[in-house]
Amino acid sequence: MSAAPTGPLSLLRLPGAAAAFLTASAGRTGTAMTVLGLLWLVHAATGSYGPAASATAAFAVAEAMLAPCAARLVDRHGQVRVLPVQALAHAGAASAAVALAAAGA
């Protein structure tokens, strides 16, 4: 009798695990692309990676501080009610960042 396969990939064989993993991976891509886009935007506007790194660090800190609050709201009110509000807030913050960069702030 052979031993059951072990390792991280064997977890994907559990019922529903692969679908959850792929969906979560796709969902997290937006955050990674936001950070990269913010880095490029601020670097293009300032010509320096110092302010660009500061902007991305501020984004990371804000994300870390707001994520638990968002999770509590989702637990309390459900994803259907919270995610559209989060999407609008994210779009507003991204638009503000672009406007500030265009204004030279």
Side-chain angles (χ1 to χ4, degrees):
M1 183 180 269
S2 65
T6 59
L9 292 179
S10 66
L11 294 174
L12 294 177
R13 293 189 191 104
L14 295 172
F21 173 77
L22 292 173
T23 307
S25 296
R28 287 184 180 96
T29 302
T31 302
M33 292 299 104
T34 299
V35 172
L36 189 57
L38 181 61
L39 180 75
W40 288 342
L41 174 70
V42 176
H43 177 263
T46 64
S48 173
Y49 281 106
S54 296
T56 56
F59 175 83
V61 169
E63 184 85 13
M65 289 173 46
L66 294 174
C69 299
R72 276 193 294 276
L73 287 172
V74 168
D75 287 344
R76 189 172 297 140
H77 302 290
Q79 289 180 347
V80 173
R81 291 180 64 194
V82 175
L83 291 180
V85 176
Q86 282 185 293
L88 287 173
H90 181 80
S95 297
V98 171
L100 287 169

